[in-house]
Amino acid sequence: MPNSSPANLSKALDRLRPDVRAMHAYKVQGAVGYLKMDAMENPFSLPPALQLELGQRLGSLEINRYPGERQNDLKAALASYAGAPEGSAVLLGNGSDEIISLLALACAQPHDGARAKLLAPMPGFVMYPMSAQLQGLDFVNVSLTADFELDEPAMLAAIAEHKPAITYIAYPNNPTATLWDQGAVQRIVDAVGEQGGFVVMDEAYQPFASHSFIDRMKAEPERNAHVLLMRTLSKFGLAGVRLGYLIGPEAIVSEIDKVRPPYNVSVLNCEAAIFALEHAEVFAAQALEIRTERAKLIDALKTIPGVEKVWDSEANMVLIRVADAAKTHEGMKARKVLIKNVSTMHPLLANCLRLTVGNAADNAQMLAALQASL
Ligand SMILES: *Cc1c(COP(=O)(O)O)cnc(C)c1O
């Protein structure tokens, strides 16, 4: 390789968007040899008998054909699993990350003489601002309160001022694991509806939460006709499969579906997801165990000197505050446990670490590494 890049290479690179070149790539930490407690993955693997059966199912697929009708079976299975409201339709995404970009893409048009806006409370999921940036929407960032509750007056004021095309409510939120007050959420939903816009309820952590906004959608379908429910099978236990879905009124979903790449969900993803839903009770038992372990983990964290604060959780993660997050994160890494240092993501997250809830053995190992690293 020559030392200086060829002129054609650098001229080609100059054609890339400067904002893209200035971005940092989404970093997936190398994890071989580590206990992985950084990405809210389900710690359980499929029982061996189901592994075999899944292998046979996948092996017999027509992988020489583009995905086809089988996707409708998956949509029906997801609608029934979620208990979708009547008259709703389902859109499939290659993970909900893809759905987040499709929504931004479909809404990227000027409104009231300004760029379209996308609003979300922060700290929150990084893909919301990223989708806005990449699709040319302005991101409106409304801070949570210091205790990670929704700042309802600030949300309502921002909605009135900015008239966002899309408002995201992660329910529960990542990385704070909070499930906000349903009354406040409904009032925010109403405010968005009044000025015209979509609310996306991102329920990635629904398997671990005490309730879902879907009940409000079913109770008052007209009031919530502009609400889209986004879920994923990732935290459910299929992070490697990549399958997200959006449930909403057919009139909206059919429009968003037009910008979806037609074969975005492979026959392998599709069949694996159908298979998992056929065995939903296996995953429900795993989620129940994780919720039980979560309670024990939170109790244990509260007894550790040096853990200054432990927040309640409605997800398979727990947010804590320590004296020196960078030091603790490095110490745990040296002890072969990966967690997420979220302390530089937002001022409210100063010295905060996000721990995934694993099984009993994983949690014990994580706690020992944490204690030794404070
Ligand atoms: C993990 C997560 C998702 C899931 O993204 P996938 O692309 O479906 O894996 C979506 N929203 C939030 C808030 C998350 O934390």
PDB file of all heavy atoms in Angstrom, residues 39-40 93-98 100 124-128 170-175 202-205 230-235 238-239 242-245 317 354, ligand 1:
ATOM      1  N   ALA A  39     -25.353  -4.642  26.392  1.00  0.00           N
ATOM      2  CA  ALA A  39     -26.262  -4.388  25.271  1.00  0.00           C
ATOM      3  C   ALA A  39     -27.663  -4.966  25.468  1.00  0.00           C
ATOM      4  O   ALA A  39     -28.393  -5.149  24.499  1.00  0.00           O
ATOM      5  CB  ALA A  39     -25.650  -4.917  23.970  1.00  0.00           C
ATOM      6  N   MET A  40     -28.033  -5.222  26.709  1.00  0.00           N
ATOM      7  CA  MET A  40     -29.386  -5.710  27.023  1.00  0.00           C
ATOM      8  C   MET A  40     -29.757  -6.959  26.231  1.00  0.00           C
ATOM      9  O   MET A  40     -30.897  -7.131  25.795  1.00  0.00           O
ATOM     10  CB  MET A  40     -30.439  -4.612  26.819  1.00  0.00           C
ATOM     11  CG  MET A  40     -30.456  -3.581  27.918  1.00  0.00           C
ATOM     12  SD  MET A  40     -29.086  -2.431  27.798  1.00  0.00           S
ATOM     13  CE  MET A  40     -29.673  -1.381  26.489  1.00  0.00           C
ATOM     14  N   GLY A  93     -39.407  -4.519  10.066  1.00  0.00           N
ATOM     15  CA  GLY A  93     -38.117  -3.871   9.848  1.00  0.00           C
ATOM     16  C   GLY A  93     -36.972  -4.806  10.183  1.00  0.00           C
ATOM     17  O   GLY A  93     -37.133  -5.743  10.967  1.00  0.00           O
ATOM     18  N   ASN A  94     -35.834  -4.533   9.595  1.00  0.00           N
ATOM     19  CA  ASN A  94     -34.630  -5.290   9.908  1.00  0.00           C
ATOM     20  C   ASN A  94     -34.083  -4.740  11.239  1.00  0.00           C
ATOM     21  O   ASN A  94     -33.103  -4.001  11.289  1.00  0.00           O
ATOM     22  CB  ASN A  94     -33.623  -5.111   8.770  1.00  0.00           C
ATOM     23  CG  ASN A  94     -32.554  -6.173   8.810  1.00  0.00           C
ATOM     24  OD1 ASN A  94     -31.582  -6.051   9.552  1.00  0.00           O
ATOM     25  ND2 ASN A  94     -32.736  -7.215   8.050  1.00  0.00           N
ATOM     26  N   GLY A  95     -34.777  -5.083  12.296  1.00  0.00           N
ATOM     27  CA  GLY A  95     -34.555  -4.439  13.584  1.00  0.00           C
ATOM     28  C   GLY A  95     -35.378  -3.165  13.632  1.00  0.00           C
ATOM     29  O   GLY A  95     -35.769  -2.636  12.584  1.00  0.00           O
ATOM     30  N   SER A  96     -35.664  -2.670  14.843  1.00  0.00           N
ATOM     31  CA  SER A  96     -36.419  -1.409  14.867  1.00  0.00           C
ATOM     32  C   SER A  96     -35.540  -0.241  14.442  1.00  0.00           C
ATOM     33  O   SER A  96     -36.048   0.799  14.039  1.00  0.00           O
ATOM     34  CB  SER A  96     -37.116  -1.150  16.197  1.00  0.00           C
ATOM     35  OG  SER A  96     -36.403  -1.645  17.259  1.00  0.00           O
ATOM     36  N   ASP A  97     -34.232  -0.415  14.491  1.00  0.00           N
ATOM     37  CA  ASP A  97     -33.353   0.641  13.981  1.00  0.00           C
ATOM     38  C   ASP A  97     -33.716   1.012  12.541  1.00  0.00           C
ATOM     39  O   ASP A  97     -33.705   2.183  12.164  1.00  0.00           O
ATOM     40  CB  ASP A  97     -31.889   0.194  14.019  1.00  0.00           C
ATOM     41  CG  ASP A  97     -31.325   0.193  15.438  1.00  0.00           C
ATOM     42  OD1 ASP A  97     -32.032   0.650  16.363  1.00  0.00           O
ATOM     43  OD2 ASP A  97     -30.187  -0.255  15.614  1.00  0.00           O
ATOM     44  N   GLU A  98     -34.028   0.013  11.743  1.00  0.00           N
ATOM     45  CA  GLU A  98     -34.393   0.314  10.357  1.00  0.00           C
ATOM     46  C   GLU A  98     -35.709   1.072  10.305  1.00  0.00           C
ATOM     47  O   GLU A  98     -35.878   2.003   9.503  1.00  0.00           O
ATOM     48  CB  GLU A  98     -34.498  -0.962   9.515  1.00  0.00           C
ATOM     49  CG  GLU A  98     -34.774  -0.630   8.053  1.00  0.00           C
ATOM     50  CD  GLU A  98     -34.982  -1.841   7.154  1.00  0.00           C
ATOM     51  OE1 GLU A  98     -35.718  -2.766   7.547  1.00  0.00           O
ATOM     52  OE2 GLU A  98     -34.405  -1.863   6.063  1.00  0.00           O
ATOM     53  N   ILE A 100     -36.840   3.113  12.470  1.00  0.00           N
ATOM     54  CA  ILE A 100     -36.568   4.493  12.886  1.00  0.00           C
ATOM     55  C   ILE A 100     -36.074   5.310  11.684  1.00  0.00           C
ATOM     56  O   ILE A 100     -36.508   6.449  11.474  1.00  0.00           O
ATOM     57  CB  ILE A 100     -35.556   4.510  14.060  1.00  0.00           C
ATOM     58  CG1 ILE A 100     -36.196   3.868  15.302  1.00  0.00           C
ATOM     59  CG2 ILE A 100     -35.067   5.921  14.358  1.00  0.00           C
ATOM     60  CD1 ILE A 100     -35.227   3.598  16.451  1.00  0.00           C
ATOM     61  N   GLY A 124     -31.881   9.627  25.936  1.00  0.00           N
ATOM     62  CA  GLY A 124     -32.724   8.613  25.326  1.00  0.00           C
ATOM     63  C   GLY A 124     -31.937   7.820  24.317  1.00  0.00           C
ATOM     64  O   GLY A 124     -30.699   7.817  24.330  1.00  0.00           O
ATOM     65  N   PHE A 125     -32.671   7.172  23.430  1.00  0.00           N
ATOM     66  CA  PHE A 125     -32.046   6.252  22.482  1.00  0.00           C
ATOM     67  C   PHE A 125     -31.324   7.038  21.385  1.00  0.00           C
ATOM     68  O   PHE A 125     -31.899   7.930  20.758  1.00  0.00           O
ATOM     69  CB  PHE A 125     -33.142   5.380  21.874  1.00  0.00           C
ATOM     70  CG  PHE A 125     -32.642   4.175  21.114  1.00  0.00           C
ATOM     71  CD1 PHE A 125     -31.579   3.416  21.570  1.00  0.00           C
ATOM     72  CD2 PHE A 125     -33.272   3.789  19.931  1.00  0.00           C
ATOM     73  CE1 PHE A 125     -31.145   2.298  20.869  1.00  0.00           C
ATOM     74  CE2 PHE A 125     -32.847   2.669  19.230  1.00  0.00           C
ATOM     75  CZ  PHE A 125     -31.777   1.930  19.693  1.00  0.00           C
ATOM     76  N   VAL A 126     -30.063   6.690  21.151  1.00  0.00           N
ATOM     77  CA  VAL A 126     -29.225   7.455  20.214  1.00  0.00           C
ATOM     78  C   VAL A 126     -29.716   7.402  18.767  1.00  0.00           C
ATOM     79  O   VAL A 126     -29.393   8.285  17.968  1.00  0.00           O
ATOM     80  CB  VAL A 126     -27.755   6.965  20.223  1.00  0.00           C
ATOM     81  CG1 VAL A 126     -27.075   7.330  21.520  1.00  0.00           C
ATOM     82  CG2 VAL A 126     -27.661   5.473  19.970  1.00  0.00           C
ATOM     83  N   MET A 127     -30.480   6.371  18.417  1.00  0.00           N
ATOM     84  CA  MET A 127     -30.899   6.261  17.024  1.00  0.00           C
ATOM     85  C   MET A 127     -31.904   7.350  16.621  1.00  0.00           C
ATOM     86  O   MET A 127     -32.067   7.631  15.441  1.00  0.00           O
ATOM     87  CB  MET A 127     -31.504   4.886  16.725  1.00  0.00           C
ATOM     88  CG  MET A 127     -30.546   3.718  16.871  1.00  0.00           C
ATOM     89  SD  MET A 127     -28.977   3.927  16.009  1.00  0.00           S
ATOM     90  CE  MET A 127     -29.545   3.836  14.319  1.00  0.00           C
ATOM     91  N   TYR A 128     -32.608   7.958  17.591  1.00  0.00           N
ATOM     92  CA  TYR A 128     -33.574   9.004  17.212  1.00  0.00           C
ATOM     93  C   TYR A 128     -32.848  10.223  16.633  1.00  0.00           C
ATOM     94  O   TYR A 128     -33.139  10.628  15.511  1.00  0.00           O
ATOM     95  CB  TYR A 128     -34.473   9.406  18.382  1.00  0.00           C
ATOM     96  CG  TYR A 128     -35.141   8.283  19.169  1.00  0.00           C
ATOM     97  CD1 TYR A 128     -35.392   8.422  20.532  1.00  0.00           C
ATOM     98  CD2 TYR A 128     -35.534   7.097  18.564  1.00  0.00           C
ATOM     99  CE1 TYR A 128     -36.005   7.417  21.263  1.00  0.00           C
ATOM    100  CE2 TYR A 128     -36.144   6.082  19.295  1.00  0.00           C
ATOM    101  CZ  TYR A 128     -36.370   6.252  20.647  1.00  0.00           C
ATOM    102  OH  TYR A 128     -36.975   5.262  21.374  1.00  0.00           O
ATOM    103  N   ALA A 170     -39.798   6.496  24.342  1.00  0.00           N
ATOM    104  CA  ALA A 170     -39.327   5.130  24.607  1.00  0.00           C
ATOM    105  C   ALA A 170     -39.963   4.694  25.922  1.00  0.00           C
ATOM    106  O   ALA A 170     -39.814   5.362  26.942  1.00  0.00           O
ATOM    107  CB  ALA A 170     -37.808   5.102  24.699  1.00  0.00           C
ATOM    108  N   TYR A 171     -40.648   3.579  25.867  1.00  0.00           N
ATOM    109  CA  TYR A 171     -41.561   3.219  26.958  1.00  0.00           C
ATOM    110  C   TYR A 171     -41.419   1.740  27.270  1.00  0.00           C
ATOM    111  O   TYR A 171     -42.118   0.937  26.654  1.00  0.00           O
ATOM    112  CB  TYR A 171     -42.981   3.560  26.466  1.00  0.00           C
ATOM    113  CG  TYR A 171     -44.053   3.681  27.518  1.00  0.00           C
ATOM    114  CD1 TYR A 171     -44.092   4.762  28.377  1.00  0.00           C
ATOM    115  CD2 TYR A 171     -45.045   2.714  27.637  1.00  0.00           C
ATOM    116  CE1 TYR A 171     -45.090   4.877  29.328  1.00  0.00           C
ATOM    117  CE2 TYR A 171     -46.045   2.825  28.592  1.00  0.00           C
ATOM    118  CZ  TYR A 171     -46.058   3.911  29.428  1.00  0.00           C
ATOM    119  OH  TYR A 171     -47.046   4.038  30.368  1.00  0.00           O
ATOM    120  N   PRO A 172     -40.468   1.371  28.170  1.00  0.00           N
ATOM    121  CA  PRO A 172     -39.545   2.176  28.992  1.00  0.00           C
ATOM    122  C   PRO A 172     -38.380   2.775  28.188  1.00  0.00           C
ATOM    123  O   PRO A 172     -38.077   2.330  27.090  1.00  0.00           O
ATOM    124  CB  PRO A 172     -38.994   1.152  29.997  1.00  0.00           C
ATOM    125  CG  PRO A 172     -39.797  -0.074  29.855  1.00  0.00           C
ATOM    126  CD  PRO A 172     -40.394  -0.059  28.508  1.00  0.00           C
ATOM    127  N   ASN A 173     -37.750   3.764  28.839  1.00  0.00           N
ATOM    128  CA  ASN A 173     -36.673   4.507  28.196  1.00  0.00           C
ATOM    129  C   ASN A 173     -35.328   3.790  28.342  1.00  0.00           C
ATOM    130  O   ASN A 173     -35.084   3.089  29.313  1.00  0.00           O
ATOM    131  CB  ASN A 173     -36.592   5.898  28.850  1.00  0.00           C
ATOM    132  CG  ASN A 173     -35.637   6.832  28.131  1.00  0.00           C
ATOM    133  OD1 ASN A 173     -35.631   6.895  26.907  1.00  0.00           O
ATOM    134  ND2 ASN A 173     -34.838   7.575  28.891  1.00  0.00           N
ATOM    135  N   ASN A 174     -34.474   3.998  27.365  1.00  0.00           N
ATOM    136  CA  ASN A 174     -33.085   3.553  27.406  1.00  0.00           C
ATOM    137  C   ASN A 174     -32.221   4.812  27.382  1.00  0.00           C
ATOM    138  O   ASN A 174     -32.442   5.647  26.509  1.00  0.00           O
ATOM    139  CB  ASN A 174     -32.814   2.682  26.162  1.00  0.00           C
ATOM    140  CG  ASN A 174     -31.353   2.301  26.002  1.00  0.00           C
ATOM    141  OD1 ASN A 174     -30.545   2.521  26.882  1.00  0.00           O
ATOM    142  ND2 ASN A 174     -31.010   1.721  24.850  1.00  0.00           N
ATOM    143  N   PRO A 175     -31.270   5.024  28.259  1.00  0.00           N
ATOM    144  CA  PRO A 175     -30.667   4.095  29.217  1.00  0.00           C
ATOM    145  C   PRO A 175     -31.200   4.201  30.643  1.00  0.00           C
ATOM    146  O   PRO A 175     -30.579   3.637  31.539  1.00  0.00           O
ATOM    147  CB  PRO A 175     -29.196   4.525  29.188  1.00  0.00           C
ATOM    148  CG  PRO A 175     -29.258   6.019  29.046  1.00  0.00           C
ATOM    149  CD  PRO A 175     -30.485   6.290  28.193  1.00  0.00           C
ATOM    150  N   ASP A 202     -41.925   3.592  21.568  1.00  0.00           N
ATOM    151  CA  ASP A 202     -40.893   2.583  21.336  1.00  0.00           C
ATOM    152  C   ASP A 202     -40.878   1.633  22.535  1.00  0.00           C
ATOM    153  O   ASP A 202     -40.338   1.951  23.586  1.00  0.00           O
ATOM    154  CB  ASP A 202     -39.543   3.287  21.151  1.00  0.00           C
ATOM    155  CG  ASP A 202     -38.397   2.303  20.897  1.00  0.00           C
ATOM    156  OD1 ASP A 202     -38.590   1.078  21.038  1.00  0.00           O
ATOM    157  OD2 ASP A 202     -37.295   2.786  20.567  1.00  0.00           O
ATOM    158  N   GLU A 203     -41.465   0.479  22.338  1.00  0.00           N
ATOM    159  CA  GLU A 203     -41.587  -0.491  23.436  1.00  0.00           C
ATOM    160  C   GLU A 203     -40.618  -1.664  23.261  1.00  0.00           C
ATOM    161  O   GLU A 203     -40.998  -2.828  23.362  1.00  0.00           O
ATOM    162  CB  GLU A 203     -43.040  -0.970  23.561  1.00  0.00           C
ATOM    163  CG  GLU A 203     -43.981   0.156  23.985  1.00  0.00           C
ATOM    164  CD  GLU A 203     -45.330  -0.334  24.484  1.00  0.00           C
ATOM    165  OE1 GLU A 203     -45.653  -1.534  24.325  1.00  0.00           O
ATOM    166  OE2 GLU A 203     -46.087   0.495  25.037  1.00  0.00           O
ATOM    167  N   ALA A 204     -39.348  -1.330  23.028  1.00  0.00           N
ATOM    168  CA  ALA A 204     -38.325  -2.377  22.880  1.00  0.00           C
ATOM    169  C   ALA A 204     -38.235  -3.258  24.125  1.00  0.00           C
ATOM    170  O   ALA A 204     -37.938  -4.445  24.043  1.00  0.00           O
ATOM    171  CB  ALA A 204     -36.967  -1.737  22.591  1.00  0.00           C
ATOM    172  N   TYR A 205     -38.520  -2.656  25.291  1.00  0.00           N
ATOM    173  CA  TYR A 205     -38.345  -3.395  26.558  1.00  0.00           C
ATOM    174  C   TYR A 205     -39.658  -3.923  27.123  1.00  0.00           C
ATOM    175  O   TYR A 205     -39.736  -4.270  28.306  1.00  0.00           O
ATOM    176  CB  TYR A 205     -37.618  -2.495  27.576  1.00  0.00           C
ATOM    177  CG  TYR A 205     -36.257  -2.129  27.053  1.00  0.00           C
ATOM    178  CD1 TYR A 205     -36.040  -0.935  26.388  1.00  0.00           C
ATOM    179  CD2 TYR A 205     -35.208  -3.040  27.149  1.00  0.00           C
ATOM    180  CE1 TYR A 205     -34.803  -0.631  25.836  1.00  0.00           C
ATOM    181  CE2 TYR A 205     -33.971  -2.756  26.609  1.00  0.00           C
ATOM    182  CZ  TYR A 205     -33.777  -1.547  25.951  1.00  0.00           C
ATOM    183  OH  TYR A 205     -32.556  -1.271  25.399  1.00  0.00           O
ATOM    184  N   MET A 230     -43.985   0.759  18.293  1.00  0.00           N
ATOM    185  CA  MET A 230     -42.818   0.077  17.739  1.00  0.00           C
ATOM    186  C   MET A 230     -42.283  -0.928  18.748  1.00  0.00           C
ATOM    187  O   MET A 230     -42.058  -0.597  19.909  1.00  0.00           O
ATOM    188  CB  MET A 230     -41.732   1.097  17.391  1.00  0.00           C
ATOM    189  CG  MET A 230     -40.582   0.496  16.620  1.00  0.00           C
ATOM    190  SD  MET A 230     -39.477   1.758  15.963  1.00  0.00           S
ATOM    191  CE  MET A 230     -38.701   2.295  17.458  1.00  0.00           C
ATOM    192  N   ARG A 231     -42.115  -2.135  18.280  1.00  0.00           N
ATOM    193  CA  ARG A 231     -41.547  -3.177  19.142  1.00  0.00           C
ATOM    194  C   ARG A 231     -40.449  -3.903  18.377  1.00  0.00           C
ATOM    195  O   ARG A 231     -40.255  -3.695  17.193  1.00  0.00           O
ATOM    196  CB  ARG A 231     -42.648  -4.152  19.571  1.00  0.00           C
ATOM    197  CG  ARG A 231     -43.694  -3.499  20.482  1.00  0.00           C
ATOM    198  CD  ARG A 231     -44.071  -4.426  21.587  1.00  0.00           C
ATOM    199  NE  ARG A 231     -45.173  -3.919  22.383  1.00  0.00           N
ATOM    200  CZ  ARG A 231     -46.168  -4.695  22.840  1.00  0.00           C
ATOM    201  NH1 ARG A 231     -46.213  -5.982  22.519  1.00  0.00           N
ATOM    202  NH2 ARG A 231     -47.112  -4.181  23.614  1.00  0.00           N
ATOM    203  N   THR A 232     -39.765  -4.784  19.075  1.00  0.00           N
ATOM    204  CA  THR A 232     -38.664  -5.522  18.462  1.00  0.00           C
ATOM    205  C   THR A 232     -38.549  -6.875  19.154  1.00  0.00           C
ATOM    206  O   THR A 232     -38.946  -7.017  20.312  1.00  0.00           O
ATOM    207  CB  THR A 232     -37.340  -4.745  18.620  1.00  0.00           C
ATOM    208  OG1 THR A 232     -36.254  -5.566  18.179  1.00  0.00           O
ATOM    209  CG2 THR A 232     -37.070  -4.366  20.069  1.00  0.00           C
ATOM    210  N   LEU A 233     -37.990  -7.843  18.441  1.00  0.00           N
ATOM    211  CA  LEU A 233     -37.727  -9.124  19.088  1.00  0.00           C
ATOM    212  C   LEU A 233     -36.323  -9.156  19.696  1.00  0.00           C
ATOM    213  O   LEU A 233     -35.904 -10.166  20.244  1.00  0.00           O
ATOM    214  CB  LEU A 233     -37.921 -10.274  18.090  1.00  0.00           C
ATOM    215  CG  LEU A 233     -39.373 -10.450  17.610  1.00  0.00           C
ATOM    216  CD1 LEU A 233     -39.490 -11.663  16.689  1.00  0.00           C
ATOM    217  CD2 LEU A 233     -40.348 -10.619  18.787  1.00  0.00           C
ATOM    218  N   SER A 234     -35.589  -8.037  19.608  1.00  0.00           N
ATOM    219  CA  SER A 234     -34.203  -8.035  20.089  1.00  0.00           C
ATOM    220  C   SER A 234     -34.102  -8.311  21.588  1.00  0.00           C
ATOM    221  O   SER A 234     -33.387  -9.218  22.008  1.00  0.00           O
ATOM    222  CB  SER A 234     -33.535  -6.700  19.772  1.00  0.00           C
ATOM    223  OG  SER A 234     -33.361  -6.555  18.381  1.00  0.00           O
ATOM    224  N   LYS A 235     -34.781  -7.506  22.406  1.00  0.00           N
ATOM    225  CA  LYS A 235     -34.655  -7.690  23.852  1.00  0.00           C
ATOM    226  C   LYS A 235     -35.464  -8.901  24.320  1.00  0.00           C
ATOM    227  O   LYS A 235     -35.186  -9.487  25.359  1.00  0.00           O
ATOM    228  CB  LYS A 235     -35.078  -6.417  24.604  1.00  0.00           C
ATOM    229  CG  LYS A 235     -34.425  -5.094  24.144  1.00  0.00           C
ATOM    230  CD  LYS A 235     -32.988  -5.176  23.802  1.00  0.00           C
ATOM    231  CE  LYS A 235     -32.212  -3.984  23.289  1.00  0.00           C
ATOM    232  NZ  LYS A 235     -32.716  -2.908  22.548  1.00  0.00           N
ATOM    233  N   LEU A 238     -34.047 -12.304  20.639  1.00  0.00           N
ATOM    234  CA  LEU A 238     -33.574 -12.578  19.278  1.00  0.00           C
ATOM    235  C   LEU A 238     -32.763 -11.402  18.725  1.00  0.00           C
ATOM    236  O   LEU A 238     -32.947 -11.016  17.571  1.00  0.00           O
ATOM    237  CB  LEU A 238     -34.750 -12.853  18.338  1.00  0.00           C
ATOM    238  CG  LEU A 238     -35.713 -14.002  18.634  1.00  0.00           C
ATOM    239  CD1 LEU A 238     -36.683 -14.170  17.470  1.00  0.00           C
ATOM    240  CD2 LEU A 238     -34.986 -15.316  18.871  1.00  0.00           C
ATOM    241  N   ALA A 239     -31.848 -10.875  19.534  1.00  0.00           N
ATOM    242  CA  ALA A 239     -31.087  -9.705  19.071  1.00  0.00           C
ATOM    243  C   ALA A 239     -30.319 -10.022  17.782  1.00  0.00           C
ATOM    244  O   ALA A 239     -30.134  -9.158  16.927  1.00  0.00           O
ATOM    245  CB  ALA A 239     -30.133  -9.239  20.165  1.00  0.00           C
ATOM    246  N   ARG A 242     -32.534  -9.839  14.121  1.00  0.00           N
ATOM    247  CA  ARG A 242     -32.884  -8.541  13.529  1.00  0.00           C
ATOM    248  C   ARG A 242     -34.323  -8.525  13.044  1.00  0.00           C
ATOM    249  O   ARG A 242     -34.620  -8.768  11.863  1.00  0.00           O
ATOM    250  CB  ARG A 242     -31.939  -8.153  12.361  1.00  0.00           C
ATOM    251  CG  ARG A 242     -30.468  -8.247  12.645  1.00  0.00           C
ATOM    252  CD  ARG A 242     -30.057  -7.487  13.878  1.00  0.00           C
ATOM    253  NE  ARG A 242     -30.335  -6.059  13.790  1.00  0.00           N
ATOM    254  CZ  ARG A 242     -30.898  -5.356  14.772  1.00  0.00           C
ATOM    255  NH1 ARG A 242     -31.241  -5.928  15.919  1.00  0.00           N
ATOM    256  NH2 ARG A 242     -31.121  -4.079  14.610  1.00  0.00           N
ATOM    257  N   LEU A 243     -35.226  -8.277  13.948  1.00  0.00           N
ATOM    258  CA  LEU A 243     -36.626  -8.185  13.556  1.00  0.00           C
ATOM    259  C   LEU A 243     -37.332  -7.171  14.440  1.00  0.00           C
ATOM    260  O   LEU A 243     -37.524  -7.397  15.639  1.00  0.00           O
ATOM    261  CB  LEU A 243     -37.289  -9.571  13.666  1.00  0.00           C
ATOM    262  CG  LEU A 243     -38.571  -9.838  12.848  1.00  0.00           C
ATOM    263  CD1 LEU A 243     -39.781  -9.076  13.375  1.00  0.00           C
ATOM    264  CD2 LEU A 243     -38.382  -9.536  11.364  1.00  0.00           C
ATOM    265  N   GLY A 244     -37.681  -6.044  13.836  1.00  0.00           N
ATOM    266  CA  GLY A 244     -38.464  -5.027  14.525  1.00  0.00           C
ATOM    267  C   GLY A 244     -39.811  -4.911  13.842  1.00  0.00           C
ATOM    268  O   GLY A 244     -39.968  -5.350  12.694  1.00  0.00           O
ATOM    269  N   TYR A 245     -40.792  -4.340  14.529  1.00  0.00           N
ATOM    270  CA  TYR A 245     -42.096  -4.187  13.881  1.00  0.00           C
ATOM    271  C   TYR A 245     -42.818  -2.961  14.409  1.00  0.00           C
ATOM    272  O   TYR A 245     -42.544  -2.488  15.518  1.00  0.00           O
ATOM    273  CB  TYR A 245     -42.958  -5.445  14.008  1.00  0.00           C
ATOM    274  CG  TYR A 245     -43.231  -5.970  15.405  1.00  0.00           C
ATOM    275  CD1 TYR A 245     -44.504  -5.892  15.966  1.00  0.00           C
ATOM    276  CD2 TYR A 245     -42.225  -6.576  16.148  1.00  0.00           C
ATOM    277  CE1 TYR A 245     -44.770  -6.410  17.232  1.00  0.00           C
ATOM    278  CE2 TYR A 245     -42.488  -7.090  17.423  1.00  0.00           C
ATOM    279  CZ  TYR A 245     -43.756  -6.999  17.949  1.00  0.00           C
ATOM    280  OH  TYR A 245     -44.004  -7.502  19.206  1.00  0.00           O
ATOM    281  N   MET A 317     -32.266  -3.643  32.199  1.00  0.00           N
ATOM    282  CA  MET A 317     -31.040  -2.887  32.471  1.00  0.00           C
ATOM    283  C   MET A 317     -31.255  -2.124  33.770  1.00  0.00           C
ATOM    284  O   MET A 317     -32.387  -1.857  34.168  1.00  0.00           O
ATOM    285  CB  MET A 317     -30.756  -1.896  31.337  1.00  0.00           C
ATOM    286  CG  MET A 317     -31.824  -0.815  31.205  1.00  0.00           C
ATOM    287  SD  MET A 317     -31.577   0.286  29.803  1.00  0.00           S
ATOM    288  CE  MET A 317     -33.110   0.078  28.915  1.00  0.00           C
ATOM    289  N   ARG A 354     -24.559   1.761  32.861  1.00  0.00           N
ATOM    290  CA  ARG A 354     -25.757   0.977  32.573  1.00  0.00           C
ATOM    291  C   ARG A 354     -25.390  -0.503  32.574  1.00  0.00           C
ATOM    292  O   ARG A 354     -24.520  -0.934  31.827  1.00  0.00           O
ATOM    293  CB  ARG A 354     -26.320   1.375  31.201  1.00  0.00           C
ATOM    294  CG  ARG A 354     -27.683   0.766  30.898  1.00  0.00           C
ATOM    295  CD  ARG A 354     -28.067   0.999  29.444  1.00  0.00           C
ATOM    296  NE  ARG A 354     -27.168   0.252  28.573  1.00  0.00           N
ATOM    297  CZ  ARG A 354     -27.053   0.463  27.258  1.00  0.00           C
ATOM    298  NH1 ARG A 354     -27.745   1.403  26.657  1.00  0.00           N
ATOM    299  NH2 ARG A 354     -26.223  -0.266  26.526  1.00  0.00           N
TER     300      ARG A 354
HETATM  301  C1  LIG B   1     -32.474  -1.895  21.886  1.00  0.00           C
HETATM  302  C2  LIG B   1     -33.447  -0.839  21.507  1.00  0.00           C
HETATM  303  C3  LIG B   1     -34.147  -0.945  20.314  1.00  0.00           C
HETATM  304  C4  LIG B   1     -33.965  -2.156  19.458  1.00  0.00           C
HETATM  305  O1  LIG B   1     -33.375  -1.951  18.268  1.00  0.00           O
HETATM  306  P1  LIG B   1     -33.320  -3.194  17.256  1.00  0.00           P
HETATM  307  O2  LIG B   1     -32.816  -2.534  16.029  1.00  0.00           O
HETATM  308  O3  LIG B   1     -34.696  -3.720  17.102  1.00  0.00           O
HETATM  309  O4  LIG B   1     -32.389  -4.204  17.831  1.00  0.00           O
HETATM  310  C5  LIG B   1     -35.078   0.024  20.004  1.00  0.00           C
HETATM  311  N1  LIG B   1     -35.321   1.044  20.839  1.00  0.00           N
HETATM  312  C6  LIG B   1     -34.678   1.169  21.995  1.00  0.00           C
HETATM  313  C7  LIG B   1     -35.015   2.289  22.922  1.00  0.00           C
HETATM  314  C8  LIG B   1     -33.697   0.240  22.360  1.00  0.00           C
HETATM  315  O5  LIG B   1     -33.038   0.381  23.499  1.00  0.00           O
END
